[in-house]
Amino acid sequence: QGGPGMPPPSPVPPTRPPAACAANTPPTQAPDHDTRVQIHPDQAALYRLSGDLNPLHIDPATALKVGFPTPILHGLCSLGVSVKAVIETVAGGDWSRLSTVKARFAKPVIPGDTLSV
């Protein structure tokens, strides 16, 4: 059950919009824009201040244990950096022009990498 003061869990999973469930395959054509964003080497440490304390993003031993050569950047941080670059490049920095975002995480981002957005 849902616990004190909480409704019981729904027996039916919530319906997701079709766009959220559609395949997200890599495009075959060249991009309309190609913006490069340098990720600061300390970005994962700074992003920890958001409250995500997963050691995968800061501890080299943990990263090695799960198969990464070094700590990786938080996915949400990578997404935020990428969306900011798109808004600055194609919308003149006007965030009100953004209505939805769909992203494909192609590979982990390592602090210090340069993203091609």
Side-chain angles (χ1 to χ4, degrees), residues 7-95:
S10 171
V12 178
T15 303
R16 298 180 69 199
C21 302
N24 195 354
T25 55
T28 56
Q29 75 276 9
D32 295 332
H33 302 275
D34 185 13
T35 301
R36 305 292 170 144
V37 181
Q38 177 70 43
I39 302 298
H40 193 278
D42 290 335
Q43 185 64 47
L46 293 171
Y47 199 79
R48 276 176 73 85
L49 298 174
S50 73
D52 185 337
L53 303 179
N54 185 334
L56 171 61
H57 304 298
I58 200 78
D59 179 39
T62 299
L64 282 172
K65 189 183 301 183
V66 297
F68 294 103
T70 187
I72 63 173
L73 193 61
H74 302 73
L76 190 57
C77 185
S78 302
L79 178 64
V81 167
S82 298
V83 171
K84 182 177 183 287
V86 169
I87 293 297
E88 290 173 351
T89 302
V90 301
D94 182 0
W95 285 87

Side-chain angles (χ1 to χ4, degrees), residues 17 19-20 79 83 86-87 95-103:
L79 178 64
V83 171
V86 169
I87 293 297
W95 285 87
S96 70
R97 294 179 59 193
L98 177 69
S99 60
T100 60
V101 173
K102 185 170 185 179

